[in-house]
Amino acid sequence: MASISGKPSKSKEVRETKEKIVALLSKLKIEEVIEIKDWLNKYVDETPPEQITANHEKEQKKKILEKGAQKLDRIATFLKDKGVDVPSKELNKLKYPTEGFDSDCNEINTCEVDSFLYDDDDVEELVQQNQLSRSYCPDCNSRNTIPLNFISHSLSRLQIKFLFDKLMPPTCQNVLDIGSRLGAVVYGASLFTNGNVHTVGVEMDSDYAALALQTIRQFGLKNIEILREDIRHLPQVFKENQFIVMNNVFSFFLSKTEQEECWEFLHTHMRPGTVLAHHPPVEKITEHLDLSFAVEDWLEFVNTTEQCSEYAGDDSEIFEEMESICKYIVKNPEV
């Protein structure tokens, strides 16, 4: 038999609910009120507490997500105001891939715009202000005739919310963000879980790592650790019950040999059962690498179409943006 504590509550929600019940009961005859009372007693006695409070838990999660999204917007504004990663017409200094998935990008035909800081509306505004171009001329580099490739090394705010609303296992205790850059994912991990998971961000760039630490202090974010280090030196960060996030962190920054070393390291140290969210598909960005293992033997792909549909509703662009994040589970090699 289910039971619910009879201890008086001082919450505003309980007081308001009691007032609404009294108002509803006042419209009924006394025998109808008694019938309602008997039904309510039976419902409370026979229904599992978690079922009774299911809607309450959904509402609480909704409030956390909404509050987190608002604060994430404020963090993005804070970083933009500091002039961090401003979109530029200047040539990039990245190590553009010469093989594989991203080899169509180069310093002439590609523009880097951080999706965490600048959404589609922001980009359009920059274009209208002539601060950014969507095209270039292949003959004189004036960017007038052929569409540019736009790339981002951060996930968007919508994608970050999606990670922790739909993709992270509900029982997860540890989040690892490899290549945390501006810290977008670690901020989301703290905000969208109410600081209830331990989050580690790994970032090789000292300026980005320092900026993330400053932002964490500025906004009072909880349970986050930032490590300025190469992931290949950190076997200890891989935990049980872990959710790992990666946004193509090797292709534009490391040589082919270094990328192979990183993936071999991850293959060795990521624990079975770990959930990996990777953008774009791991299979595509590793197909040109010489690895000692097959991705499909290591990672089990998880279809997230249902979660993407729930999140996007009727917006096909949002659906495609969320579907571009691939979910995997690390297989047990002994099975």
Side-chain angles (χ1 to χ4, degrees), residues 278-305:
H278 195 285
H279 177 268
V282 175
E283 299 88 341
K284 288 187 177 181
I285 64 166
T286 59
E287 61 185 358
H288 69 292
L289 302 179
D290 297 319
L291 301 175
S292 67
F293 61 92
V295 171
E296 59 270 23
D297 293 335
W298 173 43
L299 300 174
E300 177 185 352
F301 176 77
V302 179
N303 189 313
T304 61
T305 301

Side-chain angles (χ1 to χ4, degrees), residues 27 35 37 43 70 89 93-94 106 116 120 124-125 138 145 156 162 178-180 183 254 288 296 313 334:
K27 300 177 182 180
E35 181 182 346
K37 184 198 74 168
Y43 173 75
Q70 292 170 1
K89 298 176 185 178
K93 304 301 181 183
L94 300 172
N106 58 55
F116 174 63
D120 290 341
E124 183 58 33
E125 183 177 348
T145 59
S156 71
F162 176 69
I178 300 176
S180 59
L254 302 176
H288 69 292
E296 59 270 23
E334 298 177 358

Side-chain angles (χ1 to χ4, degrees), residues 13-112:
E13 289 83 359
V14 171
R15 291 197 305 272
E16 291 178 348
T17 301
K18 287 179 178 179
E19 292 172 0
K20 291 176 182 178
I21 291 174
V22 169
L24 289 172
L25 293 178
S26 68
K27 300 177 182 180
L28 303 175
K29 297 177 182 179
I30 187 61
E31 56 269 25
E32 293 172 329
V33 172
I34 293 172
E35 181 182 346
I36 293 290
K37 184 198 74 168
D38 292 341
W39 169 82
L40 183 58
N41 285 337
K42 183 177 180 182
Y43 173 75
V44 171
D45 285 341
E46 297 179 358
T47 307
E50 60 271 17
Q51 183 176 331
I52 295 175
T53 60
N55 287 336
H56 170 74
E57 292 171 357
K58 289 179 182 178
E59 285 300 312
Q60 289 300 108
K61 181 179 180 180
K62 182 179 178 181
K63 289 179 181 178
I64 290 173
L65 291 171
E66 289 176 349
K67 185 177 179 181
Q70 292 170 1
K71 197 163 187 176
L72 202 61
D73 287 343
R74 294 201 297 274
I75 291 174
T77 298
F78 167 76
L79 293 174
K80 280 195 291 187
D81 289 345
K82 293 176 71 68
V84 175
D85 278 28
V86 176
S88 174
K89 298 176 185 178
E90 299 298 324
L91 300 183
N92 277 283
K93 304 301 181 183
L94 300 172
K95 292 183 179 180
Y96 288 96
T98 57
E99 297 180 67
F101 182 66
D102 297 304
S103 58
D104 61 329
C105 295
N106 58 55
E107 62 182 11
I108 302 300
N109 69 10
T110 301
C111 182
E112 181 186 354

Side-chain angles (χ1 to χ4, degrees), residues 92-158:
N92 277 283
K93 304 301 181 183
L94 300 172
K95 292 183 179 180
Y96 288 96
T98 57
E99 297 180 67
F101 182 66
D102 297 304
S103 58
D104 61 329
C105 295
N106 58 55
E107 62 182 11
I108 302 300
N109 69 10
T110 301
C111 182
E112 181 186 354
V113 180
D114 192 281
S115 292
F116 174 63
L117 302 181
Y118 300 91
D119 60 21
D120 290 341
D121 290 339
D122 293 327
V123 171
E124 183 58 33
E125 183 177 348
L126 290 169
V127 171
Q128 294 299 323
Q129 294 173 354
N130 202 32
Q131 297 182 43
L132 194 65
S133 176
R134 291 188 182 275
S135 58
Y136 76 104
C137 173
D139 298 320
C140 64
N141 299 338
S142 64
R143 298 187 171 185
N144 290 323
T145 59
I146 297 178
L148 281 162
N149 295 318
F150 277 76
I151 60 171
S152 171
H153 297 293
S154 296
L155 297 176
S156 71
R157 279 164 267 165
L158 281 177

Side-chain angles (χ1 to χ4, degrees), residues 178-197:
I178 300 176
S180 59
R181 197 171 170 84
L182 298 176
V185 170
V186 300
Y187 308 147
S190 179
L191 293 171
F192 294 127
T193 69
N194 212 22
N196 290 326
V197 300

